[in-house]
Amino acid sequence: MKSIAIIGSGRMARFLAQRLHTNYRLLAIVARNVAMATSMSRKYKCTASSISDFNINQVDIAIIAVSDDAILPVIKMLGKTSTTIIHTSGTKALVVLESYTFNCGVLWPVVSVNDNAKYGAQFNCSYEGSNTKTKREVLALAKALGAKPFYQSSVQREVSHLAAVMVNNFVNHIYHKANAVLLQHDIKPEIIYQIIRATAENAIVYGAENLQTGPALRKDKTTMQRHLQLIKEYPELCKIYKAISESIMHSSQN
C-alpha cells in the first residue's frame, strides 16, 4: 500500500482524506494551519505537520490540496524531491511542478467540493501525469476516489474548469438570487425545484442550444421590463438579468 501525505486542511483536503485513507497509507496531514491539520490527523490516526517541518521524502505521493495561488509557495517550501507530487487545481498547469520533481501530476475532481454536497454514484475526474509511472499513480488515485477518470492536457483542463464554473458556480449563484426574490415575496423556493431539475436533465439529454425559451428569446420587452421592475431593489441582479438577456437575444440571431 503506497503512502501519501495530504497538504492542505480545507474542503478539498478533507474530501481527499475521507475517500483515500482506506486504500492508501495516509501518513500525514500537512498545513499552514497546524491546528486544523491536527484535528484532521486525529480522525485518520496519522501525524500532523506544518509545511516548513514536513519531510516530503518520507511518502510515496504528496497531494497538494490548497488554493491555486498557494500552490507555488507550498512547492517551494517542500523543495526538490523524487516523491510524486500532485496538485488538484483545475486551472494550474502541470508545468508548475516540473522544476521540483520528475514525477508530477494533476488530479482534478469535476465536482463542487462542499462538506454538505452529494456527488452521485460516480463523478468525473480529470488527470494528467508527467510520465508513464505518474500517469498510473494519478489514475489509481482517481479510481480510489470513486471517480470516472479521463485524461486531459493542462490546456484542456483549464477550458473544462471554465465551463464547470459557468454551469456550476454561476448557475448556483442564480439559484441563490432567485430564492431571495421568492422569499422577499413570501413564496417558498420549492416551487422552482422541479424546473431546476428538469432544465439540467433536459440540457444533458437534448442539448441546451435546442431548449432555450423565455422572454429574451421572444424579444418580449414588456415582460423583461416588468421583471426588472420587480428586482429594482437588487441592482446587481438587474445587471445580471440584462447581460444574460442580451446574450440570449444575440445568440438567437446567429
Side-chain angles (χ1 to χ4, degrees), residues 41-68:
S41 70
R42 287 176 183 148
K43 181 176 181 179
Y44 298 108
K45 296 180 174 59
C46 62
T47 61
S49 174
S50 65
I51 297 171
S52 58
D53 291 337
F54 179 64
N55 177 9
I56 193 172
N57 296 310
Q58 68 182 296
V59 294
D60 298 314
I61 302 170
I63 306 174
I64 300 175
V66 299
S67 65
D68 290 356

PDB file of all heavy atoms in Angstrom, residues 41-68:
ATOM      1  N   SER A  41      -5.815  14.966  11.488  1.00  0.00           N
ATOM      2  CA  SER A  41      -4.931  13.823  11.727  1.00  0.00           C
ATOM      3  C   SER A  41      -5.479  12.893  12.802  1.00  0.00           C
ATOM      4  O   SER A  41      -5.297  11.673  12.744  1.00  0.00           O
ATOM      5  CB  SER A  41      -3.527  14.309  12.113  1.00  0.00           C
ATOM      6  OG  SER A  41      -3.532  14.897  13.406  1.00  0.00           O
ATOM      7  N   ARG A  42      -6.171  13.450  13.786  1.00  0.00           N
ATOM      8  CA  ARG A  42      -6.776  12.612  14.833  1.00  0.00           C
ATOM      9  C   ARG A  42      -7.838  11.695  14.245  1.00  0.00           C
ATOM     10  O   ARG A  42      -7.971  10.533  14.640  1.00  0.00           O
ATOM     11  CB  ARG A  42      -7.385  13.500  15.922  1.00  0.00           C
ATOM     12  CG  ARG A  42      -6.354  14.181  16.816  1.00  0.00           C
ATOM     13  CD  ARG A  42      -7.023  15.114  17.788  1.00  0.00           C
ATOM     14  NE  ARG A  42      -6.037  15.834  18.596  1.00  0.00           N
ATOM     15  CZ  ARG A  42      -6.202  17.071  19.054  1.00  0.00           C
ATOM     16  NH1 ARG A  42      -7.324  17.731  18.774  1.00  0.00           N
ATOM     17  NH2 ARG A  42      -5.259  17.659  19.767  1.00  0.00           N
ATOM     18  N   LYS A  43      -8.596  12.221  13.314  1.00  0.00           N
ATOM     19  CA  LYS A  43      -9.667  11.440  12.685  1.00  0.00           C
ATOM     20  C   LYS A  43      -9.098  10.259  11.915  1.00  0.00           C
ATOM     21  O   LYS A  43      -9.680   9.163  11.920  1.00  0.00           O
ATOM     22  CB  LYS A  43     -10.486  12.334  11.752  1.00  0.00           C
ATOM     23  CG  LYS A  43     -11.639  11.624  11.064  1.00  0.00           C
ATOM     24  CD  LYS A  43     -12.466  12.581  10.234  1.00  0.00           C
ATOM     25  CE  LYS A  43     -13.628  11.860   9.560  1.00  0.00           C
ATOM     26  NZ  LYS A  43     -14.465  12.786   8.746  1.00  0.00           N
ATOM     27  N   TYR A  44      -7.938  10.477  11.244  1.00  0.00           N
ATOM     28  CA  TYR A  44      -7.373   9.429  10.388  1.00  0.00           C
ATOM     29  C   TYR A  44      -6.154   8.744  10.998  1.00  0.00           C
ATOM     30  O   TYR A  44      -5.486   7.966  10.331  1.00  0.00           O
ATOM     31  CB  TYR A  44      -7.022  10.032   9.026  1.00  0.00           C
ATOM     32  CG  TYR A  44      -8.252  10.562   8.316  1.00  0.00           C
ATOM     33  CD1 TYR A  44      -8.474  11.930   8.186  1.00  0.00           C
ATOM     34  CD2 TYR A  44      -9.222   9.694   7.820  1.00  0.00           C
ATOM     35  CE1 TYR A  44      -9.624  12.421   7.562  1.00  0.00           C
ATOM     36  CE2 TYR A  44     -10.366  10.170   7.206  1.00  0.00           C
ATOM     37  CZ  TYR A  44     -10.564  11.533   7.079  1.00  0.00           C
ATOM     38  OH  TYR A  44     -11.696  12.007   6.472  1.00  0.00           O
ATOM     39  N   LYS A  45      -5.885   9.054  12.261  1.00  0.00           N
ATOM     40  CA  LYS A  45      -4.802   8.405  13.010  1.00  0.00           C
ATOM     41  C   LYS A  45      -3.464   8.499  12.270  1.00  0.00           C
ATOM     42  O   LYS A  45      -2.757   7.502  12.063  1.00  0.00           O
ATOM     43  CB  LYS A  45      -5.160   6.939  13.300  1.00  0.00           C
ATOM     44  CG  LYS A  45      -6.379   6.788  14.203  1.00  0.00           C
ATOM     45  CD  LYS A  45      -6.701   5.327  14.458  1.00  0.00           C
ATOM     46  CE  LYS A  45      -7.823   5.172  15.477  1.00  0.00           C
ATOM     47  NZ  LYS A  45      -9.089   5.819  15.076  1.00  0.00           N
ATOM     48  N   CYS A  46      -3.138   9.713  11.867  1.00  0.00           N
ATOM     49  CA  CYS A  46      -1.846   9.962  11.217  1.00  0.00           C
ATOM     50  C   CYS A  46      -1.204  11.179  11.873  1.00  0.00           C
ATOM     51  O   CYS A  46      -1.766  11.756  12.811  1.00  0.00           O
ATOM     52  CB  CYS A  46      -2.037  10.196   9.714  1.00  0.00           C
ATOM     53  SG  CYS A  46      -3.056  11.632   9.305  1.00  0.00           S
ATOM     54  N   THR A  47      -0.043  11.564  11.406  1.00  0.00           N
ATOM     55  CA  THR A  47       0.647  12.692  12.011  1.00  0.00           C
ATOM     56  C   THR A  47       0.175  14.006  11.385  1.00  0.00           C
ATOM     57  O   THR A  47      -0.367  14.039  10.277  1.00  0.00           O
ATOM     58  CB  THR A  47       2.170  12.579  11.829  1.00  0.00           C
ATOM     59  OG1 THR A  47       2.471  12.578  10.425  1.00  0.00           O
ATOM     60  CG2 THR A  47       2.703  11.306  12.457  1.00  0.00           C
ATOM     61  N   ALA A  48       0.412  15.087  12.120  1.00  0.00           N
ATOM     62  CA  ALA A  48       0.132  16.432  11.627  1.00  0.00           C
ATOM     63  C   ALA A  48       1.437  17.205  11.586  1.00  0.00           C
ATOM     64  O   ALA A  48       2.321  17.003  12.420  1.00  0.00           O
ATOM     65  CB  ALA A  48      -0.878  17.142  12.528  1.00  0.00           C
ATOM     66  N   SER A  49       1.563  18.074  10.593  1.00  0.00           N
ATOM     67  CA  SER A  49       2.813  18.811  10.457  1.00  0.00           C
ATOM     68  C   SER A  49       2.566  20.152   9.791  1.00  0.00           C
ATOM     69  O   SER A  49       1.631  20.307   9.000  1.00  0.00           O
ATOM     70  CB  SER A  49       3.815  18.001   9.618  1.00  0.00           C
ATOM     71  OG  SER A  49       4.982  18.748   9.353  1.00  0.00           O
ATOM     72  N   SER A  50       3.414  21.105  10.109  1.00  0.00           N
ATOM     73  CA  SER A  50       3.437  22.348   9.346  1.00  0.00           C
ATOM     74  C   SER A  50       4.169  22.071   8.037  1.00  0.00           C
ATOM     75  O   SER A  50       4.911  21.087   7.913  1.00  0.00           O
ATOM     76  CB  SER A  50       4.158  23.451  10.127  1.00  0.00           C
ATOM     77  OG  SER A  50       5.527  23.108  10.287  1.00  0.00           O
ATOM     78  N   ILE A  51       3.985  22.924   7.062  1.00  0.00           N
ATOM     79  CA  ILE A  51       4.652  22.724   5.770  1.00  0.00           C
ATOM     80  C   ILE A  51       6.163  22.831   5.925  1.00  0.00           C
ATOM     81  O   ILE A  51       6.925  22.036   5.350  1.00  0.00           O
ATOM     82  CB  ILE A  51       4.133  23.741   4.737  1.00  0.00           C
ATOM     83  CG1 ILE A  51       2.637  23.522   4.498  1.00  0.00           C
ATOM     84  CG2 ILE A  51       4.891  23.620   3.415  1.00  0.00           C
ATOM     85  CD1 ILE A  51       1.968  24.607   3.672  1.00  0.00           C
ATOM     86  N   SER A  52       6.615  23.790   6.710  1.00  0.00           N
ATOM     87  CA  SER A  52       8.062  24.004   6.863  1.00  0.00           C
ATOM     88  C   SER A  52       8.759  22.844   7.562  1.00  0.00           C
ATOM     89  O   SER A  52       9.942  22.594   7.337  1.00  0.00           O
ATOM     90  CB  SER A  52       8.312  25.304   7.643  1.00  0.00           C
ATOM     91  OG  SER A  52       7.675  25.251   8.912  1.00  0.00           O
ATOM     92  N   ASP A  53       8.034  22.101   8.393  1.00  0.00           N
ATOM     93  CA  ASP A  53       8.645  20.991   9.135  1.00  0.00           C
ATOM     94  C   ASP A  53       8.500  19.638   8.441  1.00  0.00           C
ATOM     95  O   ASP A  53       9.100  18.651   8.872  1.00  0.00           O
ATOM     96  CB  ASP A  53       8.020  20.885  10.537  1.00  0.00           C
ATOM     97  CG  ASP A  53       8.384  22.046  11.437  1.00  0.00           C
ATOM     98  OD1 ASP A  53       9.435  22.681  11.171  1.00  0.00           O
ATOM     99  OD2 ASP A  53       7.627  22.342  12.376  1.00  0.00           O
ATOM    100  N   PHE A  54       7.735  19.581   7.369  1.00  0.00           N
ATOM    101  CA  PHE A  54       7.431  18.296   6.750  1.00  0.00           C
ATOM    102  C   PHE A  54       8.545  17.836   5.826  1.00  0.00           C
ATOM    103  O   PHE A  54       9.042  18.596   4.986  1.00  0.00           O
ATOM    104  CB  PHE A  54       6.121  18.399   5.955  1.00  0.00           C
ATOM    105  CG  PHE A  54       5.732  17.129   5.267  1.00  0.00           C
ATOM    106  CD1 PHE A  54       5.434  15.985   5.992  1.00  0.00           C
ATOM    107  CD2 PHE A  54       5.669  17.066   3.879  1.00  0.00           C
ATOM    108  CE1 PHE A  54       5.077  14.804   5.360  1.00  0.00           C
ATOM    109  CE2 PHE A  54       5.293  15.896   3.237  1.00  0.00           C
ATOM    110  CZ  PHE A  54       5.007  14.758   3.984  1.00  0.00           C
ATOM    111  N   ASN A  55       8.920  16.568   5.969  1.00  0.00           N
ATOM    112  CA  ASN A  55       9.918  15.947   5.089  1.00  0.00           C
ATOM    113  C   ASN A  55       9.182  15.179   3.998  1.00  0.00           C
ATOM    114  O   ASN A  55       8.673  14.082   4.226  1.00  0.00           O
ATOM    115  CB  ASN A  55      10.819  15.008   5.895  1.00  0.00           C
ATOM    116  CG  ASN A  55      11.824  14.286   5.008  1.00  0.00           C
ATOM    117  OD1 ASN A  55      11.976  14.601   3.816  1.00  0.00           O
ATOM    118  ND2 ASN A  55      12.513  13.306   5.572  1.00  0.00           N
ATOM    119  N   ILE A  56       9.121  15.746   2.816  1.00  0.00           N
ATOM    120  CA  ILE A  56       8.331  15.165   1.731  1.00  0.00           C
ATOM    121  C   ILE A  56       8.864  13.810   1.276  1.00  0.00           C
ATOM    122  O   ILE A  56       8.133  12.990   0.726  1.00  0.00           O
ATOM    123  CB  ILE A  56       8.253  16.149   0.538  1.00  0.00           C
ATOM    124  CG1 ILE A  56       7.184  15.690  -0.461  1.00  0.00           C
ATOM    125  CG2 ILE A  56       9.610  16.311  -0.124  1.00  0.00           C
ATOM    126  CD1 ILE A  56       6.903  16.686  -1.557  1.00  0.00           C
ATOM    127  N   ASN A  57      10.134  13.552   1.540  1.00  0.00           N
ATOM    128  CA  ASN A  57      10.750  12.304   1.066  1.00  0.00           C
ATOM    129  C   ASN A  57      10.292  11.067   1.842  1.00  0.00           C
ATOM    130  O   ASN A  57      10.630   9.949   1.469  1.00  0.00           O
ATOM    131  CB  ASN A  57      12.271  12.422   1.155  1.00  0.00           C
ATOM    132  CG  ASN A  57      12.796  13.505   0.228  1.00  0.00           C
ATOM    133  OD1 ASN A  57      12.469  13.547  -0.955  1.00  0.00           O
ATOM    134  ND2 ASN A  57      13.599  14.423   0.772  1.00  0.00           N
ATOM    135  N   GLN A  58       9.514  11.252   2.886  1.00  0.00           N
ATOM    136  CA  GLN A  58       9.057  10.099   3.680  1.00  0.00           C
ATOM    137  C   GLN A  58       7.809   9.441   3.107  1.00  0.00           C
ATOM    138  O   GLN A  58       7.386   8.386   3.595  1.00  0.00           O
ATOM    139  CB  GLN A  58       8.778  10.545   5.128  1.00  0.00           C
ATOM    140  CG  GLN A  58       7.590  11.483   5.281  1.00  0.00           C
ATOM    141  CD  GLN A  58       7.374  11.924   6.712  1.00  0.00           C
ATOM    142  OE1 GLN A  58       7.070  11.096   7.574  1.00  0.00           O
ATOM    143  NE2 GLN A  58       7.565  13.195   6.970  1.00  0.00           N
ATOM    144  N   VAL A  59       7.212  10.046   2.066  1.00  0.00           N
ATOM    145  CA  VAL A  59       5.998   9.468   1.483  1.00  0.00           C
ATOM    146  C   VAL A  59       6.211   9.175   0.001  1.00  0.00           C
ATOM    147  O   VAL A  59       7.089   9.752  -0.649  1.00  0.00           O
ATOM    148  CB  VAL A  59       4.783  10.410   1.652  1.00  0.00           C
ATOM    149  CG1 VAL A  59       4.424  10.549   3.121  1.00  0.00           C
ATOM    150  CG2 VAL A  59       5.021  11.760   1.010  1.00  0.00           C
ATOM    151  N   ASP A  60       5.374   8.279  -0.530  1.00  0.00           N
ATOM    152  CA  ASP A  60       5.429   7.964  -1.965  1.00  0.00           C
ATOM    153  C   ASP A  60       4.781   9.056  -2.802  1.00  0.00           C
ATOM    154  O   ASP A  60       5.256   9.387  -3.889  1.00  0.00           O
ATOM    155  CB  ASP A  60       4.708   6.629  -2.236  1.00  0.00           C
ATOM    156  CG  ASP A  60       5.362   5.458  -1.536  1.00  0.00           C
ATOM    157  OD1 ASP A  60       6.602   5.349  -1.608  1.00  0.00           O
ATOM    158  OD2 ASP A  60       4.634   4.650  -0.924  1.00  0.00           O
ATOM    159  N   ILE A  61       3.681   9.608  -2.277  1.00  0.00           N
ATOM    160  CA  ILE A  61       2.900  10.595  -3.025  1.00  0.00           C
ATOM    161  C   ILE A  61       2.498  11.729  -2.085  1.00  0.00           C
ATOM    162  O   ILE A  61       2.003  11.476  -0.980  1.00  0.00           O
ATOM    163  CB  ILE A  61       1.625   9.969  -3.636  1.00  0.00           C
ATOM    164  CG1 ILE A  61       1.984   8.799  -4.556  1.00  0.00           C
ATOM    165  CG2 ILE A  61       0.806  11.015  -4.376  1.00  0.00           C
ATOM    166  CD1 ILE A  61       0.763   7.987  -4.995  1.00  0.00           C
ATOM    167  N   ALA A  62       2.706  12.953  -2.532  1.00  0.00           N
ATOM    168  CA  ALA A  62       2.234  14.124  -1.793  1.00  0.00           C
ATOM    169  C   ALA A  62       1.193  14.835  -2.649  1.00  0.00           C
ATOM    170  O   ALA A  62       1.468  15.182  -3.806  1.00  0.00           O
ATOM    171  CB  ALA A  62       3.390  15.068  -1.472  1.00  0.00           C
ATOM    172  N   ILE A  63       0.007  15.030  -2.093  1.00  0.00           N
ATOM    173  CA  ILE A  63      -1.087  15.674  -2.826  1.00  0.00           C
ATOM    174  C   ILE A  63      -1.283  17.080  -2.275  1.00  0.00           C
ATOM    175  O   ILE A  63      -1.607  17.250  -1.092  1.00  0.00           O
ATOM    176  CB  ILE A  63      -2.396  14.880  -2.710  1.00  0.00           C
ATOM    177  CG1 ILE A  63      -2.187  13.427  -3.139  1.00  0.00           C
ATOM    178  CG2 ILE A  63      -3.489  15.531  -3.547  1.00  0.00           C
ATOM    179  CD1 ILE A  63      -3.408  12.538  -2.923  1.00  0.00           C
ATOM    180  N   ILE A  64      -1.082  18.069  -3.126  1.00  0.00           N
ATOM    181  CA  ILE A  64      -1.230  19.461  -2.714  1.00  0.00           C
ATOM    182  C   ILE A  64      -2.667  19.894  -2.977  1.00  0.00           C
ATOM    183  O   ILE A  64      -3.100  20.028  -4.119  1.00  0.00           O
ATOM    184  CB  ILE A  64      -0.243  20.376  -3.470  1.00  0.00           C
ATOM    185  CG1 ILE A  64       1.203  19.934  -3.187  1.00  0.00           C
ATOM    186  CG2 ILE A  64      -0.445  21.828  -3.093  1.00  0.00           C
ATOM    187  CD1 ILE A  64       2.241  20.710  -3.979  1.00  0.00           C
ATOM    188  N   ALA A  65      -3.407  20.100  -1.887  1.00  0.00           N
ATOM    189  CA  ALA A  65      -4.822  20.480  -1.983  1.00  0.00           C
ATOM    190  C   ALA A  65      -5.013  21.831  -1.302  1.00  0.00           C
ATOM    191  O   ALA A  65      -5.595  21.937  -0.223  1.00  0.00           O
ATOM    192  CB  ALA A  65      -5.694  19.409  -1.338  1.00  0.00           C
ATOM    193  N   VAL A  66      -4.478  22.855  -1.952  1.00  0.00           N
ATOM    194  CA  VAL A  66      -4.559  24.219  -1.422  1.00  0.00           C
ATOM    195  C   VAL A  66      -5.118  25.124  -2.511  1.00  0.00           C
ATOM    196  O   VAL A  66      -5.340  24.694  -3.654  1.00  0.00           O
ATOM    197  CB  VAL A  66      -3.166  24.720  -0.964  1.00  0.00           C
ATOM    198  CG1 VAL A  66      -2.622  23.835   0.160  1.00  0.00           C
ATOM    199  CG2 VAL A  66      -2.174  24.752  -2.129  1.00  0.00           C
ATOM    200  N   SER A  67      -5.333  26.392  -2.192  1.00  0.00           N
ATOM    201  CA  SER A  67      -5.829  27.331  -3.189  1.00  0.00           C
ATOM    202  C   SER A  67      -4.810  27.487  -4.317  1.00  0.00           C
ATOM    203  O   SER A  67      -3.604  27.259  -4.123  1.00  0.00           O
ATOM    204  CB  SER A  67      -6.101  28.694  -2.544  1.00  0.00           C
ATOM    205  OG  SER A  67      -4.897  29.275  -2.082  1.00  0.00           O
ATOM    206  N   ASP A  68      -5.273  27.884  -5.482  1.00  0.00           N
ATOM    207  CA  ASP A  68      -4.400  27.983  -6.655  1.00  0.00           C
ATOM    208  C   ASP A  68      -3.188  28.880  -6.396  1.00  0.00           C
ATOM    209  O   ASP A  68      -2.060  28.549  -6.779  1.00  0.00           O
ATOM    210  CB  ASP A  68      -5.183  28.520  -7.856  1.00  0.00           C
ATOM    211  CG  ASP A  68      -6.195  27.506  -8.376  1.00  0.00           C
ATOM    212  OD1 ASP A  68      -6.230  26.374  -7.857  1.00  0.00           O
ATOM    213  OD2 ASP A  68      -6.953  27.853  -9.300  1.00  0.00           O
TER     214      ASP A  68
END
